Amino acid sequence: MKNILVEKLSLWQLFILIFIFEIGNAAVVSTGNDANQDAWIAIGLAMVFGMGLALMYYFMLSRLPGKNLFEIFQFCFGKWMGGLLTLLYILYFLYIASRVLRDFCELIVSFIFEETPIEFIAITMVIVIVYMLYLGLEVMGRTSEVFMPYFFSFIIIIGIAVFISGEMEFENLFPILGDGFKPVLKAVFPQLLTFPFGELIAFTMIIPYTSKFKKAKKITLLAVMASGIMLIYNAVLQITTLGVDMRARSNFPLLSSAREISLLEFIERVDLVVVFIVMFGIIIKVSVFFYGALKGLELISNRPYRMYVVPIGAIIAFISVKISDNFAEHIEEGLIVVPLFMHVPFQLLLPLMILPVLLWKTRKSKEGRK
Amino acid sequence: MVTFLFTFILMASIGVITMFDLYLYEETLLSILDANIFFEKGTSQWMLYVNLLFGFFYGMVVDYRFRKSKKSSKSS
Amino acid sequence: MKLKMALSILGCVIILTGCWDRIELNDVSIVTGLAVDEGENSKYRLTIEVVNASQFSKNQMGGEAAPALTFTLEGNTISELLHKMNIGITRRLIFSHTRVLYISEGIAKEGIIEFIDFLDRSGQFRNDFNIMITKGEKAEAFVKVTYPIQKVPSLKVHKQTQSFNREWGGDPGVRLTDFISALTSKGRNPVSATLVIKGDPKKGEKSENNMKTSVDTLVEMDGMAIFKDDRLIGYLTVDETRNYFWTQKLKTTSMSVPCSDDEKKPEDEKYMAVTVTETHNKLKVDFTNGKPVLKVKINGETRIEATQCLNDLTKIDTYKDFEEKINRYVAKDIQETIKKVQTEFGVDIFGFGDAFNRQHHKEYKKVENNWDEVFAQAEVEVDINLHLRRSGVRGKTFISEIPRE
Amino acid sequence: MSIFSSLFTRKKNKNKGKPTEEELFKQQDIPKQYYSQVEKNKKLLEELFKGTFDFKCEPIKIGGHKAYLTYLSTMTDKNELSNRVIQVATNHPTGISFNNMIEMRELYFPSVDFKVAENFHRVVWAVLNGEALIMVDGFNEALSLGIGLPEQRAISEPSTQTIIRGPKDGFVEGLPVNILLVRKRLKNPRLKFEIYQMGRDSKTNVALGYINDIANEDLLKEVRERLNKIDVGALLDSGNVEEFIVDKTITPFPLVYNTERPDSICGHLLEGKMAIFVDGSPFVLTVPTLFVDFFQASEDYYQPFIMSSFVRLVRYSSFMIALLFPSLYVAISTFHHELMPTQLLISVQAQREGVPFPAVIEIIIMELSFEVLREAGVRMPRVVGQTVSIVGALVIGQAAVEAGLVSNVLVIVVAFTAIASFVSPIYSFSIATRLLRFVVIFSAAFMGLYGVLLFLIIMVIHLVSLRSFGIPYLAPVAPFQPRNQDDVFVRVPIWLNKNRPSYLYPKSPVRSEENNQPSPPDQPVGGQK
């Protein structure tokens, strides 16, 4: 009874958060285009590597149970060096949060509201996110629990509906591995591995707050796998409905596939359902990154993170619009610059560098205790 | 503290996007900074600035209240 | 107090910013058809057809009026023209319910890529409209021909193609995405359905046309058009269109198969009417002696609807015999159509190239760039395997029971 | 809202706490001292109750002692009083002595409820409560006897929650009767009722009922604490209590469940909840309350489970319809024309031809007039109630369409919404949807379906953040508890529903261990050979 009010996530909530987080915008923008019709194989491969990454992150956290990534930095490098690293990560998280938000705003502005300014969409979205985060991590977990069934079933139903509408052509999936493994690998490294799977780094800020930390490992892996399977399903759906060329040309292939649905002469033009899926995925994704950054600020300044929610939310809205002038820049940055200069160092290199220090330090402390 | 961190992070993030723009556009630093910090008339970006101002003032108020409550808790 | 402040801030944010994309239903006109012709002074001449909704309400205000209006404008890009339309009409146009895009022959011969891109890019257009090439008359004449049952011309054409497609298969069933993916693919060339006007187009514009039991003017399906890349190069007839559709997505059709294969005695020709209820079609490209062989394989079920033949339909042998005849008949038809396309047009509209790519990716890569030539020379094998399942609710036909003198 | 609340909260005035009984009487200038000379007490009382016509202070003799019988004649049952007090006291032989009030009571009034009032405050309290007070000369305490109540409304069918099958009795305005109605159904010695007096002026009796071996201790402590904190002038209905004990006041959703049905209270008690009875109110509260409670009617448990599961799903969907239908109409007809099939769009457009208002204004006019009608229908004297419905149907429905002010489709939308909003079994919940509907209409008018989605997400976030006595408001759904799903969206047969809901942390989590699924007999009936 007394534990009710403590901020903790249940394992099921963690699972859902990771699931929605991974699918989030990855389901909507076209991923793995380098692999052509084998995009789904590439996603599967990336999923396996992603599970490896998740294991690594978990391993880091498990060396110091109950501490999040930033606290580990401080443990390893002392207050100043750790603080600097934390600041870098805060910037990284905020930048990615804004980028994800921009993805969604672009979708709304180019598909649904052609005349509405993108700023308006960004601000309204941020208001929702700020409201949710202000109420805390628990509320985020429970909100996603409420929306999970819809989120899940809508994705599945889109596929089934397209199939019944007779728009799917499984021939589009062939030839499997026609050009060998090369294009697949090209799609996996670094694009698919870092986005969406490498972005799990944000969960290093959340996993320590689960109620049963020891079981979190299994749940994380399961969630990554489930979301990977969902993404594969998604990719197959898009390729079979649109064909490889059309998918590559679509800015938002899932939306385009959903447009093909036409059932009973009445259930048609249901692309707004997709917008719902995306919208909720985006909210969760931005929130998770945002939460990570807030926790970092809390650690740096020793003030409760709720104080920062509103001001930093304003920054996210600002950056998400300023991040690029036009859609082309947004995409080019997202495909070329960001994986290279942001994802790879922050998701792979830095954690790999920290790992030995952490191991060394924790071994020492453990021996000392003995 | 909140206001300070707000300003700092705002500056830093503008710095980050400016860096990327520099990498992509091959324009002068000044022109990119200009585009990233200010806005042109005719766009609806004024909303963002209203938003930022709101965030800024919110931060100030929070800071003020925090300091006051700290003082009062100390004195009592 | 705090609630008021919070609410007022939220309210300000919302009200100050307002609502951009709002269009009341009273302020829109639903566009159902677009017709593109060659312009006299500029590149295109665009005619739109909008629904006059007040004609569809139960209590009509202002008496009889036409169920649809058309308006024509000339210009260089379609998209500009669409926004400029208000030069003559009152309301904003919405295109999400566009049903048919009519393209005149002349435009099609010059290439249609330039405005197809607009339709593909725009979020407003859906993928569920038909692309139609208009033969004979100008495209704008087609959006003006009314029809008593479905009063909006384009809705009528849309419905017409749908039912025709399902009942008999004389419409290639091409939508925008199909058209574009055929355009972009090297192993396939696009096709589209064609229309003709039967009767006097001038008479069709008037609503008196609707008063008669046999209307003066009618828009009819007329087979399909074949494109090489984005240029129109020729036509197929309605029957050939059905044969084309056999190789694609045909589900149901019906045909008259002669009772005897002997073509020499046309005077006592007897037919049986066969309905195909379910088919599955597959394209394959195989290699024999280093040369690609195009293979069409069709499985399906048929039933006999009527027969003029005297054979006893309660016997297994008869079924077998009929089955063979049907298969031979269909195979011959399809073979002829493919041959015609190969020799006359020399472009692969069937998608053999795509099938080749899927089955023998490496070999296809070698001939990818001149696939159409390879296609024109390739041999064709058609393998039809239609099963005759049943023959209605009667066994023997009564014709055989009639005592003859 | 709470984001902003941190900005704008003023300093809370320091809570001095609820005044003690002594302070309260002091404020009203009532002395505490009770004298052993009866005359003095009598004088004080008479002064206090000066100008009260029904205040009676009659001299009697009990066992030779001089005594006064004091009561409010309007609040006591005359027959009871004369039968059980006056006759007994006067007919008894004199000379039997007693040493204190308890002994006296044993001798003279053995079967009557009693309290010993040891100071003057208690004396006043007892009189106000409608008890008969006996002050005997020479004793420094008085005896108050609880005898019969004045006439009350007879138990009748509840007017707000009617059902087809099931018990038809409802609570009335008297606390004892209400407790009796529950006791009759739950003959369990562990069913406890704690009594509280609240209200400076009203001194209302409030009873907290719970089943001792089911209800969670901590929850109980929390409820008691909150009840003890209540400091109010007067409690006129349970609604007043409700506002004092909710966790959060700025929310359209009711955080406390209220009902007129004793059987539904029993059901809640058996799940481990607590019931709060307020004297003078036929509505009994139960806490903690969850979102799903408002979709469970007590009739669900009396009808076959398949049927009631279906009905429950209908209720959930009609909640969504009542909330969203008008706004969806606005959003689709002004933003997303492509969502309607062509034929439907044409016919809707045809009907909207000539309507001068934008869709939002149109729908707000209709919704407002409907709200006015509804309110008028409730407040009007029954006799004219008919008129309202006729005027409403004719004017609002038919004439408005004929005049071209609103379109036909819209009338259908509003009517359907209105009907759907009546489906919720608890009235206080359907009020919430009424209010929110307007919010969502505005949101849809500004931002189309995107606005509706934003609203939905914000609403869910809000719902999820709510707690009722520490229990998450959306409990078995979020946080998701797979074991408690048997009575949420559908209802499983009663013999399968073996566990009490675990989100209430009941002391004994199991209802019944045994598997008592009904089955046909093993042997054929009637000795079939």
Side-chain angles (χ1 to χ4, degrees):
Chain A
M1 180 68 193
K2 291 221 165 90
N3 288 334
I4 290 177
L5 291 169
V6 177
E7 284 233 325
K8 286 263 171 182
L9 278 181
S10 73
L11 289 175
W12 173 235
Q13 283 166 346
L14 179 73
F15 178 87
I16 289 173
L17 276 182
I18 296 180
F19 183 79
I20 297 179
F21 176 89
E22 292 285 301
I23 291 175
N25 55 347
V28 198
V29 300
S30 46
T31 44
N33 276 336
D34 288 338
N36 290 330
Q37 68 273 24
D38 298 323
W40 60 279
I41 296 177
I43 291 172
L45 204 64
M47 177 185 91
V48 176
F49 286 113
M51 283 162 79
L53 263 183
L55 264 183
M56 185 179 93
Y57 297 147
Y58 181 84
F59 180 70
M60 280 170 67
L61 291 176
S62 66
R63 298 303 291 184
L64 285 172
K67 292 201 169 178
N68 60 32
L69 186 68
F70 296 161
E71 282 160 344
I72 289 174
F73 289 160
Q74 295 215 330
F75 175 81
C76 288
F77 302 106
K79 203 179 167 196
W80 288 104
M81 196 54 195
L84 187 71
L85 264 178
T86 307
L87 254 180
L88 281 178
Y89 264 93
I90 288 172
L91 283 179
Y92 169 66
F93 283 167
L94 287 180
Y95 181 83
I96 300 299
S98 321
R99 169 159 285 283
V100 172
L101 185 60
R102 177 63 179 263
D103 273 345
F104 175 72
C105 295
E106 284 293 343
L107 172 115
I108 290 279
V109 171
S110 52
F111 261 87
I112 298 173
F113 296 135
E114 293 183 348
E115 289 167 26
T116 307
I118 193 166
E119 293 83 2
F120 179 70
I121 310 282
I123 290 173
T124 43
M125 282 293 278
V126 164
I127 288 176
V128 175
I129 292 164
V130 161
Y131 181 54
M132 182 157 87
L133 278 186
Y134 189 87
L135 292 172
L137 186 62
E138 261 210 320
V139 167
M140 182 160 94
R142 280 195 246 133
T143 313
S144 47
E145 249 174 331
V146 174
F147 282 113
M148 173 70 174
Y150 305 100
F151 189 82
F152 185 79
S153 52
F154 279 167
I155 296 186
I156 300 281
I157 286 171
I158 285 175
I160 294 171
V162 173
F163 181 72
I164 296 176
S165 305
E167 298 289 339
M168 267 192 188
E169 282 168 34
F170 286 97
E171 290 172 344
N172 286 339
L173 285 175
F174 296 94
I176 295 175
L177 293 179
D179 296 318
F181 256 105
K182 239 186 178 174
V184 173
L185 286 178
K186 209 175 134 201
V188 173
F189 298 106
Q191 205 225 49
L192 267 177
L193 182 59
T194 53
F195 168 82
F197 294 103
E199 287 176 340
L200 271 181
I201 184 94
F203 272 89
T204 52
M205 304 303 298
I206 286 181
I207 291 176
Y209 303 108
T210 43
S211 52
K212 288 170 196 154
F213 181 73
K214 277 192 178 152
K215 285 190 182 167
K217 177 171 151 190
K218 216 165 106 191
I219 293 296
T220 312
L221 290 184
L222 267 179
V224 173
M225 204 159 85
S227 53
I229 290 169
M230 209 64 186
L231 284 174
I232 291 176
Y233 170 80
N234 217 327
V236 169
L237 161 70
Q238 290 165 11
I239 295 169
T240 49
T241 342
L242 297 177
V244 176
D245 297 330
M246 197 73 115
R247 177 170 185 265
R249 279 188 301 112
S250 292
N251 292 335
F252 307 103
L254 184 61
L255 212 76
S256 304
S257 338
R259 285 198 159 197
E260 308 278 328
I261 295 175
S262 145
L263 286 178
L264 304 173
E265 310 235 318
F266 192 81
I267 304 169
E268 48 186 13
R269 301 138 192 262
V270 287
D271 16 352
L272 271 153
V273 171
V274 177
V275 173
F276 172 76
I277 295 175
V278 190
M279 187 156 158
F280 195 67
I282 296 286
I283 285 180
I284 290 301
K285 200 156 184 175
V286 175
S287 301
V288 168
F289 279 118
F290 194 0
Y291 183 82
L294 287 172
K295 272 285 174 191
L297 286 172
E298 183 181 75
L299 190 71
I300 288 181
S301 66
N302 250 331
R303 299 266 186 93
Y305 75 86
R306 269 157 229 255
M307 287 186 173
Y308 294 98
V309 176
V310 176
I312 303 295
I315 294 184
I316 289 190
F318 180 79
I319 295 298
S320 76
V321 178
K322 285 281 184 184
I323 205 166
S324 44
D325 245 14
N326 46 42
F327 191 69
E329 186 192 335
H330 180 65
I331 289 296
E332 196 169 324
E333 255 181 44
L335 288 183
I336 300 166
V337 185
V338 172
L340 215 61
F341 292 103
M342 298 210 96
H343 283 332
V344 172
F346 282 104
Q347 291 173 359
L348 293 171
L349 298 183
L350 276 174
L352 277 177
M353 273 159 59
I354 291 156
L355 200 57
V357 181
L358 180 69
L359 279 177
W360 189 63
K361 280 226 171 182
T362 47
R363 191 199 53 173
K364 221 167 130 191
S365 67
K366 268 182 189 164
E367 275 177 3
R369 236 177 268 155
K370 277 172 194 171
Chain B
M1 193 65 181
V2 176
T3 330
F4 167 71
L5 271 177
F6 170 76
T7 344
F8 177 77
I9 286 188
L10 181 63
M11 295 302 205
S13 357
I14 289 180
V16 171
I17 56 175
T18 310
M19 225 164 65
F20 287 142
D21 285 354
L22 266 180
Y23 179 82
L24 281 175
Y25 275 124
E26 298 173 359
E27 274 178 43
T28 59
L29 177 68
L30 270 181
S31 67
I32 288 173
L33 265 181
D34 179 63
N36 281 341
I37 294 175
F38 304 106
F39 71 100
E40 293 162 24
K41 277 180 190 171
T43 59
S44 330
Q45 291 192 355
W46 57 266
M47 282 179 220
L48 296 175
Y49 292 86
V50 173
N51 199 28
L52 276 184
L53 266 181
F54 178 73
F56 185 74
F57 283 120
Y58 184 95
M60 296 237 292
V61 172
V62 165
D63 265 351
Y64 173 73
R65 290 165 55 91
F66 188 74
R67 191 167 293 177
K68 222 171 98 182
S69 71
K70 219 178 190 179
K71 261 182 197 166
S72 67
S73 68
K74 256 183 198 170
S75 63
S76 67
Chain C
M1 164 67 191
K2 60 191 177 187
L3 183 72
K4 266 186 204 161
M5 280 294 278
L7 280 182
S8 57
I9 287 175
L10 265 181
C12 282
V13 168
I14 291 173
I15 288 165
L16 273 178
T17 45
C19 29
W20 292 268
D21 284 280
R22 234 191 59 183
I23 319 174
E24 287 295 330
L25 266 182
N26 303 20
D27 300 331
V28 295
S29 283
I30 305 165
V31 176
T32 45
L34 294 175
V36 188
D37 283 300
E38 299 137 303
E40 281 159 21
N41 304 317
S42 8
K43 208 164 168 184
Y44 298 116
R45 179 181 168 84
L46 177 72
T47 308
I48 56 161
E49 171 204 298
V50 296
V51 179
N52 183 6
S54 57
Q55 280 305 305
F56 292 86
S57 72
K58 286 253 167 69
N59 42 350
Q60 288 173 8
M61 284 167 283
E64 280 279 315
L69 297 174
T70 60
F71 189 73
T72 308
L73 211 60
E74 279 194 14
N76 286 328
T77 62
I78 298 293
S79 90
E80 189 212 342
L81 280 178
L82 287 178
H83 289 292
K84 205 177 159 190
M85 278 293 167
N86 286 101
I87 200 169
I89 53 179
T90 50
R91 293 182 174 187
R92 285 180 68 176
L93 305 176
I94 53 169
F95 301 100
S96 46
H97 290 269
T98 307
R99 283 302 174 200
V100 184
L101 169 69
Y102 305 87
I103 299 169
S104 75
E105 246 178 319
I107 291 276
K109 275 177 185 153
E110 281 166 23
I112 56 175
I113 280 190
E114 284 147 6
F115 63 88
I116 287 282
D117 174 64
F118 163 67
L119 303 177
D120 181 34
R121 187 178 295 283
S122 163
Q124 273 211 33
F125 285 91
R126 296 274 160 172
N127 179 34
D128 51 6
F129 61 88
N130 297 60
I131 298 173
M132 294 284 183
I133 305 294
T134 58
K135 268 164 91 173
E137 302 291 331
K138 275 189 159 184
E140 69 180 276
F142 283 77
V143 294
K144 292 175 182 168
V145 179
T146 57
Y147 178 70
I149 294 171
Q150 178 53 274
K151 286 182 181 153
V152 183
S154 297
L155 293 187
K156 180 241 170 187
V157 170
H158 183 71
K159 204 86 207 162
Q160 186 184 2
T161 55
Q162 262 180 359
S163 3
F164 194 41
N165 197 320
R166 280 178 66 148
E167 280 294 308
W168 199 74
D171 167 62
V174 170
R175 299 283 184 274
L176 186 65
T177 42
D178 304 325
F179 195 87
I180 290 171
S181 55
L183 261 177
T184 50
S185 166
K186 281 176 181 164
R188 181 191 265 273
N189 279 294
V191 295
S192 93
T194 54
L195 290 175
V196 285
I197 292 184
K198 209 176 151 198
D200 182 9
K202 282 276 173 278
K203 275 187 187 164
E205 285 178 26
K206 295 181 186 127
S207 51
E208 285 92 72
N209 191 25
N210 293 344
M211 302 292 189
K212 295 183 179 171
T213 45
S214 81
V215 290
D216 287 335
T217 318
L218 206 58
V219 175
E220 285 186 354
M221 307 282 304
D222 188 50
M224 66 184 203
I226 295 174
F227 288 77
K228 186 179 174 68
D229 296 333
D230 71 321
R231 274 160 221 278
L232 177 83
I233 52 169
Y235 296 105
L236 291 184
T237 64
V238 173
D239 290 296
E240 286 160 345
T241 304
R242 199 260 305 269
N243 295 338
Y244 164 78
F245 206 49
W246 266 115
T247 64
Q248 305 294 315
K249 292 184 237 173
L250 185 90
K251 280 276 169 260
T252 51
T253 185
S254 79
M255 55 208 167
S256 315
V257 181
C259 288
S260 64
D261 291 341
D262 205 358
E263 284 174 23
K264 280 166 196 162
K265 294 184 284 180
E267 53 272 9
D268 58 40
E269 247 182 306
K270 287 197 172 128
Y271 295 100
M272 52 186 171
V274 178
T275 302
V276 181
T277 52
E278 184 70 49
T279 64
H280 176 258
N281 14 46
K282 194 172 164 62
L283 298 182
K284 266 177 94 173
V285 179
D286 277 353
F287 269 103
T288 42
N289 311 328
K291 264 190 157 182
V293 179
L294 313 178
K295 281 186 179 169
V296 181
K297 193 167 168 23
I298 295 171
N299 297 326
E301 289 189 8
T302 58
R303 64 165 75 189
I304 286 184
E305 289 219 319
T307 173
Q308 301 163 359
C309 323
L310 301 176
N311 306 39
D312 183 359
L313 272 169
T314 49
K315 295 261 160 49
I316 298 177
D317 284 344
T318 325
Y319 265 68
K320 238 182 187 169
D321 181 38
F322 279 11
E323 224 172 77
E324 271 169 25
K325 277 174 187 160
I326 293 168
N327 285 341
R328 244 176 294 158
Y329 177 81
V330 175
K332 202 182 96 200
D333 268 6
I334 294 176
Q335 187 108 23
E336 273 172 10
T337 305
I338 296 179
K339 270 269 142 56
K340 183 181 171 190
V341 172
Q342 276 179 322
T343 51
E344 277 186 33
F345 308 110
V347 289
D348 178 10
I349 55 173
F350 301 92
F352 282 112
D354 285 348
F356 193 15
N357 182 20
R358 284 193 284 272
Q359 285 143 11
H360 307 280
H361 184 69
K362 275 175 193 145
E363 281 84 357
Y364 174 71
K365 280 281 163 202
K366 288 176 206 156
V367 295
E368 191 182 41
N369 288 325
N370 54 350
W371 168 249
D372 279 340
E373 287 142 47
V374 178
F375 164 77
Q377 263 121 51
E379 268 179 51
V380 180
E381 275 178 27
V382 181
D383 176 17
I384 308 290
N385 198 7
L386 295 172
H387 293 276
L388 185 59
R389 296 288 188 207
R390 47 193 66 82
S391 56
V393 292
R394 297 279 184 271
K396 278 185 195 166
T397 171
F398 67 89
I399 298 175
S400 60
E401 309 283 314
I402 297 173
R404 306 216 172 222
E405 288 132 35
Chain D
M1 294 310 106
S2 46
I3 307 166
F4 299 99
S5 66
S6 71
L7 259 185
F8 304 112
T9 33
R10 271 193 240 131
K11 230 180 177 181
K12 278 182 191 162
N13 43 346
K14 268 181 191 161
N15 202 353
K16 281 179 223 150
K18 196 181 159 191
T20 58
E21 193 183 296
E22 205 158 320
E23 282 168 342
L24 216 131
F25 280 103
K26 217 179 204 172
Q27 279 171 17
Q28 295 177 348
D29 239 357
I30 299 170
K32 195 182 179 183
Q33 180 67 43
Y34 180 81
Y35 303 93
S36 52
Q37 295 99 322
V38 205
E39 290 297 334
K40 261 188 184 175
N41 294 329
K42 186 204 167 200
K43 218 172 240 165
L44 275 172
L45 272 176
E46 272 177 342
E47 199 160 305
L48 198 62
F49 286 96
K50 204 162 75 184
T52 318
F53 78 93
D54 54 348
F55 176 73
K56 299 276 159 29
C57 193
E58 294 160 351
I60 51 169
K61 275 222 155 112
I62 298 181
H65 294 270
K66 187 181 174 195
Y68 281 101
L69 174 67
T70 314
Y71 59 93
L72 292 173
S73 62
T74 48
M75 284 187 71
T76 35
D77 193 336
K78 281 270 167 61
N79 284 336
E80 288 271 297
L81 192 70
S82 70
N83 284 345
R84 302 180 75 170
V85 181
I86 301 176
Q87 283 189 17
V88 171
T90 47
N91 291 350
H92 240 274
T94 54
I96 302 169
S97 68
F98 44 84
N99 295 324
N100 56 25
M101 287 293 111
I102 305 213
E103 266 181 35
M104 180 184 94
R105 182 239 165 204
E106 277 172 8
L107 284 169
Y108 291 92
F109 320 110
S111 65
V112 186
D113 280 352
F114 79 105
K115 261 181 233 152
V116 176
E118 67 273 13
N119 59 36
F120 195 70
H121 290 166
R122 291 291 158 98
V123 167
V124 175
W125 195 298
V127 173
L128 286 173
N129 244 344
E131 289 161 22
L133 187 87
I134 297 175
M135 301 184 289
V136 189
D137 197 26
F139 292 91
N140 54 0
E141 47 187 20
L143 185 74
S144 72
L145 300 171
I147 45 165
L149 287 152
E151 290 288 306
Q152 279 193 341
R153 178 160 73 93
I155 295 170
S156 60
E157 199 179 343
S159 54
T160 55
Q161 292 168 286
T162 47
I163 59 172
I164 294 165
R165 182 176 171 182
K168 304 224 170 184
D169 52 348
F171 287 125
V172 294
E173 281 78 2
L175 181 63
V177 182
N178 291 350
I179 290 181
L180 172 133
L181 285 173
V182 174
R183 270 259 154 77
K184 236 170 44 182
R185 288 188 165 78
L186 298 176
K187 297 184 181 84
N188 184 343
R190 298 206 171 75
L191 171 62
K192 310 280 182 196
F193 289 96
E194 291 171 9
I195 197 96
Y196 297 80
Q197 256 95 28
M198 285 172 202
R200 295 181 183 207
D201 298 321
S202 65
K203 313 225 169 38
T204 317
N205 287 321
V206 174
L208 169 65
Y210 56 91
I211 301 179
N212 205 14
D213 53 356
I214 299 177
N216 180 279
E217 274 300 317
D218 294 308
L219 264 177
L220 201 56
K221 224 169 82 191
E222 179 72 30
V223 177
R224 279 189 197 128
E225 244 168 55
R226 290 196 194 179
L227 282 177
N228 277 327
K229 266 190 206 153
I230 296 176
D231 175 21
V232 64
L235 284 179
L236 302 179
D237 186 79
S238 53
N240 299 135
V241 177
E242 182 179 334
E243 285 199 8
F244 277 100
I245 57 173
V246 289
D247 293 47
K248 194 175 193 175
T249 42
I250 308 177
T251 172
F253 296 97
L255 291 177
V256 173
Y257 182 87
N258 65 68
T259 179
E260 272 189 284
R261 306 193 56 83
D263 53 330
S264 134
I265 289 292
C266 294
H268 281 232
L269 286 174
L270 287 171
E271 281 183 350
K273 293 181 183 170
M274 291 112 214
I276 298 171
F277 298 73
V278 177
D279 201 3
S281 168
F283 289 93
V284 177
L285 312 175
T286 62
V287 291
T289 304
L290 306 170
F291 188 73
V292 293
D293 287 342
F294 295 101
F295 293 92
Q296 302 169 344
S298 54
E299 192 173 358
D300 287 0
Y301 302 94
Y302 313 139
Q303 299 282 13
F305 76 99
I306 296 178
M307 232 11 248
S308 47
S309 301
F310 170 69
V311 170
R312 207 170 269 184
L313 291 179
V314 169
R315 260 180 233 139
Y316 281 102
S317 39
S318 63
F319 167 68
M320 292 312 277
I321 290 170
L323 193 62
L324 296 179
F325 202 42
S327 52
L328 285 180
Y329 172 76
V330 171
I332 291 181
S333 74
T334 54
F335 283 88
H336 313 283
H337 307 122
E338 72 268 23
L339 282 182
M340 268 191 264
T342 313
Q343 292 293 345
L344 183 62
L345 180 67
I346 291 175
S347 69
V348 170
Q349 196 193 13
Q351 291 180 25
R352 269 195 59 77
E353 286 298 329
V355 175
F357 307 112
V360 205
I361 306 290
E362 204 185 347
I363 210 156
I364 284 188
I365 290 173
M366 285 302 281
E367 284 286 344
L368 267 182
S369 54
F370 171 70
E371 291 295 324
V372 170
L373 267 182
R374 166 140 78 174
E375 195 58 22
V378 175
R379 307 282 163 244
M380 275 225 173
R382 289 275 149 78
V383 198
V384 264
Q386 286 289 319
T387 335
V388 175
S389 48
I390 292 166
V391 168
L394 279 180
V395 172
I396 306 296
Q398 194 106 20
V401 173
E402 298 263 302
L405 286 179
V406 294
S407 57
N408 275 321
V409 192
L410 194 106
V411 175
I412 297 171
V413 169
V414 171
F416 188 45
T417 313
I419 292 169
S421 72
F422 287 123
V423 172
S424 172
I426 304 293
Y427 182 69
S428 58
F429 192 75
S430 65
I431 300 178
T433 58
R434 263 161 81 181
L435 187 66
L436 287 176
R437 196 185 306 146
F438 283 98
V439 181
V440 77
I441 286 173
F442 276 115
S443 166
F446 284 119
M447 294 174 276
L449 276 182
Y450 174 68
V452 176
L453 286 183
L454 273 186
F455 168 83
L456 266 187
I457 292 179
I458 288 184
M459 189 185 87
V460 168
I461 293 174
H462 175 74
L463 273 175
V464 142
S465 73
L466 290 177
R467 282 167 184 276
S468 179
F469 289 82
I471 309 293
Y473 195 46
L474 289 182
V477 180
F480 187 72
Q481 288 153 336
R483 273 190 306 143
N484 293 323
Q485 298 300 318
D486 45 12
D487 199 14
V488 180
F489 296 108
V490 295
R491 176 176 86 77
V492 298
I494 288 180
W495 45 263
L496 248 179
N497 191 357
K498 284 177 196 156
N499 296 321
R500 300 204 161 88
S502 66
Y503 46 83
L504 293 170
Y505 305 94
K507 256 187 228 163
S508 54
V510 181
R511 284 186 220 259
S512 62
E513 303 264 354
E514 271 162 48
N515 182 11
N516 36 20
Q517 175 177 9
S519 58
D522 296 337
Q523 296 293 321
V525 181
Q528 192 188 335
K529 282 159 200 172

